[in-house]
Amino acid sequence: MLGIGVGMASMLCPMYIAEVSPAKVRGRNVAINQLTVVIGILVTNLVNYLLADTGHDAWRWMFGLGAVPSAIFLIGVIWLPESPRWLMQSGQEDRAKSVLQKIGSEGFAESTIQAIKGSIAGPGTRSYKQVFEKSVRPAVVVGIVLAVFQQFCGINVVFNYTSTIFQSVGASLNRQLFETVAIGVVNLLFTLLAMWQVDKLGRRPLMLAGSLGLSVLYIILAFLLQNHFPAGLISIFVLLAISTYAVSLAPVTWVLISEIFPNKIRGAASSVAIVSLWSAYFVLVFTFPILAKTLGTYGPFYLYAVICFLGFLFVKNKVKETKGQTLEELEENLIRH
C-alpha cells in the first residue's frame, strides 16, 4: 500500500505542479516537490536517530509517525484546484478558465486556454498506445532514459548504503550515523540552490554539469575507498557527490519529465517514465551488495562513473533546453522537429 501511495505521488505531484505553473517559474515550482522529499528524508533520519535507543518497539514509532505527513498531505489536497489542462481535456472550459485566472491575469487565462485547445485537438480517447506513436517517441525515449539515468547514476547507493561504505574503511557506528545526517543536510541545502538556479541557468546546463561532475567524483571516491583513506577525507567526496546530484539530476530530471510530454499523453507518458525510474532504483539497490561483495565496496563506483559519463553524452546530444517555454510551446517544438 505504501508503494502504491509513493508511486502515485511521485508521478502526480511534479506533473500537477508543471500543469498549474506559469512557464517562467515552472522549474522552480517543480523543484519544490524534490525539496519536500529531501526535507522528509532529513526529518526521518533525525527522528529515527532520536528513536533508535528507546527500546525494542522503536521501529513501530518509526513506521507509525509516517502517518503524520501523510495526513497533512491528504488535508492539503482537499483545497487544491484541479489542473486546468486536465479540465480542458474533460470539456470543462469554464472551470479551467477560473483556475487560470487565479494563477494569472485575464489575458494569461485566455491565451493559455487557446493554446491548450490547439494541443488537445483530435480524437478524445487516450491510450498507452499513443505514448509510443512516432510523433512523440523522441520525447518518450528521452523521458525514459533520463528517469533510468537518474537512478543508475548511483547516488542512491550512497543514500541507502552509507553505513556499508563507511564501515568498509573502519568508521565507527556513531560516525556512520553522523554521515547519514550530514548527507541529509547537504542534500537539503543544495536542493534549495537548485530551486534558485533551475529557471535561471536552465535544465540542460545543470544536467550536463551534474553528470560530468559525478563521473569525476566517483572515480576519486572509488580510489579513496580502494586504498582505505581516512573516513574524514572520504566524507568530503561523498558530500560533494551528494551536493552535485542535489543541484542537478535530482530535481531537474523530475522537472524535465513533467515538461517534455504533450498534453494528450502527459499522464500516460509520465507514468511510463516513472515506472522506469522506480524499476531502475530497484535494480540499483538490489545489485550494489552483490557488486560490492564481488568487486569490493569501491568497485561499483567505477561503473557508476562510466554510466554518468554516458549520461553526459546523452544529455549533450538529445536533451533540449525547456526553460521559459509554455508546455504548449514545448509540444509545438516537438511536433515541428
Side-chain angles (χ1 to χ4, degrees):
M1 290 176 69
L2 282 170
I4 292 169
V6 170
M8 290 175 68
S10 67
M11 183 193 87
L12 294 170
C13 290
M15 184 172 71
Y16 174 87
I17 295 169
E19 291 190 350
V20 300
S21 298
K24 65 180 180 180
V25 294
R26 188 175 60 243
R28 184 190 67 192
N29 286 359
V30 175
I32 289 173
N33 182 67
Q34 178 66 18
L35 176 66
T36 61
V37 172
V38 168
I39 291 172
I41 292 170
L42 178 58
V43 171
T44 299
N45 287 341
L46 288 170
V47 170
N48 289 352
Y49 178 71
L50 294 172
L51 289 171
D53 296 324
T54 57
H56 293 299
D57 288 334
W59 66 272
R60 298 183 188 276
W61 284 100
M62 293 177 185
F63 274 102
L65 286 172
V68 176
S70 301
I72 295 170
F73 185 89
L74 174 62
I75 293 167
V77 168
I78 295 171
W79 282 277
L80 282 181
E82 186 52 82
S83 159
R85 286 167 173 86
W86 182 87
L87 289 169
M88 287 295 292
Q89 288 187 41
S90 303
Q92 302 179 60
E93 183 174 334
D94 290 341
R95 284 185 64 195
K97 187 175 181 180
S98 176
V99 173
L100 289 166
Q101 285 171 339
K102 294 177 182 177
I103 297 169
S105 63
E106 180 75 25
F108 167 80
E110 287 291 348
S111 62
T112 304
I113 288 287
Q114 294 307 313
I116 297 172
K117 279 183 177 178
S119 71
I120 63 175
T125 305
R126 310 284 183 253
S127 70
Y128 277 90
K129 186 178 179 181
Q130 290 178 293
V131 172
F132 299 99
E133 288 180 352
K134 188 176 181 181
S135 60
V136 297
R137 198 177 300 152
V140 174
V141 169
V142 167
I144 291 173
V145 172
L146 287 177
V148 171
F149 172 50
Q150 193 212 47
Q151 295 304 312
F152 280 179
C153 78
I155 203 70
N156 273 315
V157 160
V158 178
F159 284 112
N160 286 285
Y161 295 103
T162 306
S163 294
T164 303
I165 292 167
F166 282 92
Q167 189 179 38
S168 72
V169 292
S172 67
L173 180 59
N174 281 340
R175 181 64 193 236
Q176 295 167 32
L177 291 171
F178 169 79
E179 292 296 339
T180 301
V181 175
I183 284 170
V185 172
V186 169
N187 197 18
L188 171 60
L189 293 175
F190 280 86
T191 300
L192 287 168
L193 178 62
M195 286 176 56
W196 176 41
Q197 291 297 322
V198 69
D199 285 314
K200 294 183 177 182
L201 294 178
R203 288 61 155 156
R204 194 168 179 271
L206 288 173
M207 290 291 284
L208 288 170
S211 52
L212 190 59
L214 280 174
S215 184
V216 173
L217 288 168
Y218 281 154
I219 291 172
I220 297 171
L221 183 57
F223 176 79
L224 296 177
L225 288 168
Q226 185 176 5
N227 292 280
H228 296 278
F229 275 75
L233 183 60
I234 290 170
S235 176
I236 291 171
F237 284 93
V238 165
L239 294 177
L240 282 172
I242 294 295
S243 62
T244 301
Y245 175 76
V247 83
S248 58
L249 273 65
V252 179
T253 300
W254 291 106
V255 172
L256 287 168
I257 289 174
S258 70
E259 291 178 330
I260 61 177
F261 302 126
N263 280 331
K264 282 184 181 180
I265 62 160
R266 183 171 294 113
S270 294
S271 68
V272 170
I274 291 166
V275 165
S276 301
L277 184 148
W278 288 119
S279 299
Y281 172 81
F282 170 77
V283 171
L284 178 79
V285 297
F286 183 79
T287 56
F288 177 75
I290 300 169
L291 291 171
K293 187 176 180 179
T294 306
L295 306 173
T297 305
Y298 64 89
F301 288 99
Y302 285 118
L303 173 62
Y304 303 147
V306 173
I307 292 172
C308 287
F309 183 71
L310 294 175
F312 168 80
L313 296 177
F314 179 83
V315 172
K316 188 172 186 291
N317 292 305
K318 297 294 183 182
V319 177
K320 308 296 183 185
E321 185 53 69
T322 60
K323 74 168 184 175
Q325 302 176 65
T326 68
L327 297 177
E328 288 68 39
E329 287 171 342
L330 291 171
E331 181 173 343
E332 186 178 334
N333 291 336
L334 171 66
I335 293 169
R336 189 163 55 238
H337 294 101

